[in-house]
Amino acid sequence: MNELQVFSELHKFLAGLGPMEINLAPKSLTLGYSPRSFRGKAPKFATLYGEKRYNCLILHVDPGNKESTKGKIVQKEIQQLLHFNIIEMRNFSLKNHEVYIPFEVIDSKNRLELVKEFVRVQYNDVIR
């Protein structure tokens, strides 16, 4: 799978998780996903970054809590599941409450399904 296919498949998946507000960044291929419920809009849950520097899915695993370190724990889980190391693959600063999944590690339908299930679990944690 190429990175454009991965971006497209993840967009369809994220948009279909439930009521979602999707924002497109003004000058880049970056989409932000914020769940909506009867209580209103929740903090941003996921971001698809199509820019060269990032080219990844970012999950905001403890949205609204920038002091959280839950992202570090969840990052280790996804790295073990998909056998990659984000520090070796990207040189941008990582935030403690975010999880980074580079598009290039999602190189098959099987890995895409693993990522979808992983994201579904994180999404369910956020909307509870």
Side-chain angles (χ1 to χ4, degrees), residues 26-59:
K27 294 185 179 183
S28 68
L29 186 55
T30 303
L31 298 171
Y33 301 83
S34 300
R36 295 192 65 74
S37 70
F38 64 91
R39 295 180 298 222
K41 183 177 103 172
K44 186 165 44 171
F45 158 71
T47 303
L48 280 178
Y49 275 99
E51 295 180 10
K52 276 187 179 181
R53 182 170 172 233
Y54 285 90
N55 262 345
C56 63
L57 167 64
I58 298 178
L59 298 176

Side-chain angles (χ1 to χ4, degrees), residues 57-121:
L57 167 64
I58 298 178
L59 298 176
H60 310 272
V61 294
D62 200 355
N65 183 3
K66 294 188 185 225
E67 303 302 316
S68 172
T69 58
K70 182 179 178 185
K72 285 187 169 205
I73 297 163
V74 179
Q75 182 73 45
K76 287 179 184 176
E77 291 173 20
I78 193 63
Q79 287 181 173
Q80 288 175 345
L81 183 66
L82 298 176
H83 309 291
F84 75 96
N85 184 331
I86 191 64
I87 294 171
E88 294 173 2
M89 298 181 80
R90 296 293 189 273
N91 61 1
F92 54 79
S93 61
L94 307 175
K95 297 179 182 173
N96 291 336
H97 67 289
E98 295 180 342
V99 174
Y100 303 83
I101 307 171
F103 293 153
E104 63 265 29
V105 301
I106 308 169
D107 58 1
S108 68
K109 290 282 186 188
N110 183 45
R111 283 181 165 231
L112 179 62
E113 291 306 314
L114 289 172
V115 169
K116 286 180 179 179
E117 187 54 37
F118 184 82
V119 170
R120 189 176 286 112
V121 168

